[in-house]
Every structure is written in structure tokens, then in C-alpha cells.
Amino acid sequence: MLLEEFDPTPKAIINPDDSDVVLLDYRLPLPTTILCPFSGEIITHLLQRKQIRPIGYTKSINGKSPIYLLSRPAGPDVLVTLAKVGSPACIGTLEDLAPLGITNFIIFGSCGVLKAEQASDQINLPTAALRDEGMSYHYAPPADVIKADPHAIHLMEKVLQRHEIRYEKGLTWTTDAFFRETPKKLAHRKEQGAVFVDMEAAATFAWAQFRGHRLLHFFYSADHIHTKGWDRRKNQRRRHVGDYFDVALLFADELSKTK
């Protein structure tokens, strides 16, 4: 199979240094930590509260993707950008950013849950991912599962426990074809131990390990999928998405204390 042809050569024909990144009115060096929410609502919320300001952008045929600065009088400054949905778009954005000297990536967004009893709006830490997508196979040798960085999991657990924030750990099923989450596949993934479903974690794990970046990737519970249907659970999701950004900032503060 083509996806079994992993090439570990770090230098490709087109490389991240070739990316089109434009900085506007900010002097280097940039902060080394960036927060990447998948929710556009979070970016809108931060802009409305004037917590972030644009300092540059990456660009592609889709247009410009702003890079924001969050200045913090009581903590280290961080960068913010919108993570793109889907493994190829997500990793493309991360590759664009890394040449700016960013070493710490905090990525977070909603996930589906595979058990009805899993609470909505709960923080979830994917400890490993089933690689049912294509992007991760270009950054790691072929295998069904890829593990998260255990040091990242330990850091996030420590912060969540300190602040008495409820969370769950487990295996996620990463698929880039959510319209092909069939009952048969879902049943099989649950047999394999999956408790969450997402679209990017396997790829972000593989990318970070291949490039040597520090990655903290966490979820918050949203819909519930099961073999008989799909429960969007909108009436159960009452927490404002800005709360998850606050959790990401707690992680960023903890990262600033470590090397």
C-alpha cells in the first residue's frame, strides 16, 4: 500500500522554510508558545474583548490566516491562531508556523464521544490515536496506533488536578472522513478501545514527534455517535468555548516553567 512507503528523510522538495508568512508590526523574537483553537467562536470572542491583536499571517490560495498576539501582564505572552479542521489543513498550518521559532503548540477543539455516559463539555486527553487518516503516515512509520507524548499528558494532568478540573483520558479514533463513520467501523473502533473520535490528533502527534516540537493536544466533549445514530447533544453543551481557552492558558503557563 502507498501509505506504507514512509520516508524518514527530513528534507523534502518543498519545506516549511518555503512557506509564505508575513509579519506586520512585531519585532522578533516571537513568543515560543502558540495556542491553536479549532473554534472560530473563540477567536471572535478574544477579538471582541480586545485580548488579541493581529501581528501577521500565513497565506495560501485560500487566503490569509491571521496570527495574533496575546499580551499578558501577569503571564508570558503567547501567540494565537485558528487551527484548521482536517489533518492536511491542520498540519499545513502548523508547518507554516514552526519556522517562526515556535516550539510549543497547544491545540484544542471538540471531539465526539463513543459512550453515552461521557459528560458533555468535559476536558479529554487523548493518550493515543487510531490512525484512520492519511497525513500521519507521512510523518511516522505505518502502524495502527500512535501514542501522545507522555510528558505532555503528565503536564496537562498536573494542571487539571491542581485546578480541580474534571477530565478523562483515553484512545481517540482519528478519521478524516466523518461522513464515512459507518456502524461497522464504529463498532470495530470501540472494540479496539477508542472512547473519543476526532479528525486531527493522529496527525498532530506524528508531526510533532517527527519535527521535534512540544505538543499539547486536548479535547472537550461534544456530540455522541453510536451504531444507531448521532446525538448532537446541543442542549447539554452549556459551557462557553472561552473557558477552554482559559484552560489552554493554564497549560501555557505551566510550559513556561519547564524547559
Side-chain angles (χ1 to χ4, degrees):
M1 293 181 63
L2 290 177
L3 290 182
E4 294 178 353
E5 297 178 359
F6 173 66
D7 184 350
T9 306
K11 200 75 171 176
I13 297 170
I14 304 172
N15 298 281
D17 288 337
D18 301 316
S19 297
D20 292 322
V21 181
V22 176
L23 293 179
L24 301 174
D25 61 347
Y26 189 84
R27 295 180 181 178
L28 297 174
L30 292 169
T32 57
T33 297
I34 190 164
L35 279 59
C36 306
F38 284 100
S39 171
E41 185 180 348
I42 289 178
I43 300 296
T44 300
H45 175 71
L46 294 171
L47 286 170
Q48 289 174 341
R49 298 179 64 180
K50 298 183 179 179
Q51 290 181 265
I52 57 175
R53 65 178 179 89
I55 61 164
Y57 55 86
T58 61
K59 60 180 181 178
S60 70
I61 195 170
N62 289 143
K64 298 176 181 178
S65 298
I67 303 168
Y68 303 96
L69 175 71
L70 173 61
S71 297
R72 307 173 65 210
D77 292 352
V78 295
L79 299 175
V80 179
T81 196
L82 183 68
K84 302 293 178 60
V85 174
S87 293
C90 178
I91 298 304
T93 298
L94 299 180
E95 290 278 44
D96 283 341
L97 295 167
L100 296 175
I102 302 167
T103 56
N104 301 318
F105 295 80
I106 303 175
I107 303 174
F108 55 105
S110 61
C111 72
V113 297
L114 306 187
K115 296 186 297 183
E117 61 270 24
Q118 288 169 292
S120 295
D121 294 339
Q122 179 177 275
I123 299 294
N124 299 310
L125 305 182
T127 54
L130 289 166
R131 299 167 65 186
D132 197 7
E133 40 67 61
M135 197 68 176
S136 67
Y137 292 88
H138 299 280
Y139 291 88
D144 288 344
V145 177
I146 185 167
K147 293 183 178 180
D149 175 8
H151 299 291
I153 298 296
H154 175 73
L155 182 150
M156 290 189 286
E157 282 198 275
K158 182 168 64 174
V159 170
L160 294 171
Q161 291 169 7
R162 181 190 305 148
H163 292 272
E164 299 182 341
I165 298 172
R166 179 181 176 180
Y167 68 95
E168 183 175 346
K169 296 190 298 181
L171 177 67
T172 187
W173 167 25
T174 300
T175 172
D176 48 12
F178 61 85
F179 286 118
R180 294 299 301 147
E181 293 170 355
T182 64
K184 181 178 179 180
K185 285 185 178 180
L186 173 58
H188 187 205
R189 299 297 174 258
K190 292 182 71 172
E191 289 172 359
Q192 291 173 295
V195 291
F196 316 122
V197 59
D198 81 293
M199 295 182 67
E200 300 87 13
T204 64
F205 294 166
W207 169 80
Q209 292 165 25
F210 183 79
R211 294 296 190 198
H213 299 308
R214 194 162 195 183
L215 169 73
L216 278 63
H217 193 152
F218 71 94
F219 305 145
Y220 44 93
S221 301
D223 53 329
H224 170 226
I225 67 166
H226 48 92
T227 55
K228 295 183 180 180
W230 176 35
D231 182 1
R232 300 192 187 194
R233 306 202 302 184
K234 289 185 176 181
N235 61 334
Q236 299 178 32
R237 293 155 61 183
R238 299 184 177 91
R239 194 170 180 178
H240 191 277
V241 289
D243 292 345
Y244 306 116
F245 187 83
D246 293 338
V247 172
L249 280 177
L250 294 176
F251 294 154
D253 288 341
E254 191 66 24
L255 274 174
S256 70
K257 302 174 187 176
T258 62
K259 294 183 179 180

Short mmCIF file of all heavy atoms in Angstrom, two decimals, residues 15 34 52 63-65 67 71-72 87 136 165 167 185 195 202 212 220 239:
data_model
loop_
_atom_site.label_atom_id
_atom_site.label_comp_id
_atom_site.label_asym_id
_atom_site.label_seq_id
_atom_site.Cartn_x
_atom_site.Cartn_y
_atom_site.Cartn_z
N ASN A 15 9.65 22.66 1.65
CA ASN A 15 9.87 22.60 3.08
C ASN A 15 9.21 23.78 3.80
O ASN A 15 8.89 24.80 3.16
CB ASN A 15 11.36 22.57 3.37
CG ASN A 15 12.03 21.34 2.79
OD1 ASN A 15 11.95 20.26 3.34
ND2 ASN A 15 12.69 21.51 1.64
N ILE A 34 2.29 28.85 21.06
CA ILE A 34 1.11 29.28 20.32
C ILE A 34 -0.08 28.42 20.71
O ILE A 34 0.04 27.21 20.88
CB ILE A 34 1.35 29.23 18.80
CG1 ILE A 34 0.20 29.91 18.05
CG2 ILE A 34 1.57 27.80 18.30
CD1 ILE A 34 0.53 30.24 16.60
N ILE A 52 -6.58 40.06 21.91
CA ILE A 52 -5.57 39.71 20.93
C ILE A 52 -5.53 40.76 19.83
O ILE A 52 -6.51 41.45 19.60
CB ILE A 52 -5.81 38.31 20.31
CG1 ILE A 52 -7.21 38.24 19.66
CG2 ILE A 52 -5.65 37.21 21.36
CD1 ILE A 52 -7.48 36.94 18.92
N GLY A 63 -6.44 32.14 1.01
CA GLY A 63 -6.43 33.47 1.59
C GLY A 63 -5.48 33.55 2.78
O GLY A 63 -4.60 32.70 2.97
N LYS A 64 -5.67 34.59 3.60
CA LYS A 64 -4.79 34.84 4.73
C LYS A 64 -5.34 34.19 6.00
O LYS A 64 -6.54 34.21 6.25
CB LYS A 64 -4.64 36.35 4.96
CG LYS A 64 -4.01 37.09 3.80
CD LYS A 64 -3.97 38.59 4.06
CE LYS A 64 -3.37 39.34 2.89
NZ LYS A 64 -3.36 40.82 3.12
N SER A 65 -4.43 33.65 6.81
CA SER A 65 -4.77 33.09 8.11
C SER A 65 -4.04 33.91 9.17
O SER A 65 -2.82 33.77 9.32
CB SER A 65 -4.38 31.62 8.20
OG SER A 65 -5.07 30.85 7.23
N ILE A 67 -2.26 35.59 12.38
CA ILE A 67 -1.53 35.21 13.59
C ILE A 67 -1.70 36.35 14.57
O ILE A 67 -1.48 37.52 14.23
CB ILE A 67 -0.04 35.00 13.30
CG1 ILE A 67 0.17 33.93 12.22
CG2 ILE A 67 0.72 34.61 14.58
CD1 ILE A 67 1.58 33.88 11.67
N SER A 71 -0.97 39.66 24.68
CA SER A 71 -0.05 40.23 25.67
C SER A 71 -0.66 40.06 27.06
O SER A 71 -1.84 40.37 27.27
CB SER A 71 0.19 41.72 25.39
OG SER A 71 0.80 41.89 24.14
N ARG A 72 0.16 39.59 28.00
CA ARG A 72 -0.36 39.25 29.32
C ARG A 72 0.50 39.91 30.40
O ARG A 72 1.66 39.54 30.57
CB ARG A 72 -0.38 37.74 29.49
CG ARG A 72 -1.11 37.00 28.38
CD ARG A 72 -0.96 35.50 28.51
NE ARG A 72 -1.59 35.02 29.69
CZ ARG A 72 -1.17 33.95 30.38
NH1 ARG A 72 -0.10 33.28 29.98
NH2 ARG A 72 -1.79 33.56 31.46
N SER A 87 -6.90 16.87 8.98
CA SER A 87 -5.46 16.66 9.20
C SER A 87 -4.57 17.39 8.20
O SER A 87 -3.60 18.05 8.61
CB SER A 87 -5.15 15.16 9.18
OG SER A 87 -5.73 14.52 10.29
N SER A 136 -0.77 11.29 8.94
CA SER A 136 0.23 10.81 9.91
C SER A 136 1.23 9.85 9.28
O SER A 136 2.38 9.75 9.75
CB SER A 136 -0.47 10.13 11.10
OG SER A 136 -1.09 8.93 10.71
N ILE A 165 -10.15 20.38 37.85
CA ILE A 165 -10.93 20.33 36.61
C ILE A 165 -11.11 18.88 36.20
O ILE A 165 -10.13 18.14 36.05
CB ILE A 165 -10.22 21.12 35.48
CG1 ILE A 165 -10.09 22.60 35.87
CG2 ILE A 165 -11.00 20.99 34.17
CD1 ILE A 165 -9.25 23.40 34.89
N TYR A 167 -11.61 15.60 34.08
CA TYR A 167 -11.12 15.21 32.76
C TYR A 167 -11.16 13.69 32.63
O TYR A 167 -11.30 12.96 33.62
CB TYR A 167 -9.70 15.72 32.51
CG TYR A 167 -8.63 15.07 33.36
CD1 TYR A 167 -7.90 13.99 32.88
CD2 TYR A 167 -8.35 15.53 34.64
CE1 TYR A 167 -6.92 13.38 33.66
CE2 TYR A 167 -7.39 14.94 35.42
CZ TYR A 167 -6.67 13.86 34.93
OH TYR A 167 -5.70 13.26 35.70
N LYS A 185 -17.66 0.27 11.20
CA LYS A 185 -16.36 0.83 11.60
C LYS A 185 -16.40 1.30 13.05
O LYS A 185 -15.43 1.10 13.79
CB LYS A 185 -15.99 1.99 10.68
CG LYS A 185 -15.51 1.58 9.31
CD LYS A 185 -15.04 2.79 8.52
CE LYS A 185 -14.50 2.39 7.15
NZ LYS A 185 -14.05 3.58 6.38
N VAL A 195 -12.47 5.70 22.75
CA VAL A 195 -13.54 6.33 23.53
C VAL A 195 -13.87 7.73 23.00
O VAL A 195 -14.89 8.31 23.37
CB VAL A 195 -13.18 6.41 25.03
CG1 VAL A 195 -13.16 5.03 25.64
CG2 VAL A 195 -11.85 7.12 25.25
N ALA A 202 -4.08 12.08 15.48
CA ALA A 202 -3.04 11.16 15.00
C ALA A 202 -1.99 11.92 14.19
O ALA A 202 -0.78 11.69 14.33
CB ALA A 202 -3.65 10.04 14.15
N GLY A 212 10.11 17.34 16.21
CA GLY A 212 10.75 17.63 17.49
C GLY A 212 10.13 18.80 18.24
O GLY A 212 10.81 19.47 19.03
N TYR A 220 -12.57 18.79 24.12
CA TYR A 220 -13.70 18.94 25.02
C TYR A 220 -14.88 18.23 24.37
O TYR A 220 -15.09 18.30 23.16
CB TYR A 220 -14.02 20.40 25.35
CG TYR A 220 -13.99 21.37 24.19
CD1 TYR A 220 -15.16 21.68 23.48
CD2 TYR A 220 -12.81 22.00 23.82
CE1 TYR A 220 -15.14 22.59 22.43
CE2 TYR A 220 -12.79 22.91 22.76
CZ TYR A 220 -13.95 23.20 22.07
OH TYR A 220 -13.92 24.10 21.04
N ARG A 239 -21.31 25.10 28.38
CA ARG A 239 -20.08 25.81 28.73
C ARG A 239 -19.64 26.69 27.57
O ARG A 239 -19.66 26.27 26.41
CB ARG A 239 -19.00 24.78 29.06
CG ARG A 239 -17.78 25.34 29.77
CD ARG A 239 -16.91 24.20 30.25
NE ARG A 239 -15.73 24.67 30.92
CZ ARG A 239 -14.81 23.87 31.47
NH1 ARG A 239 -14.98 22.55 31.39
NH2 ARG A 239 -13.76 24.37 32.07
#
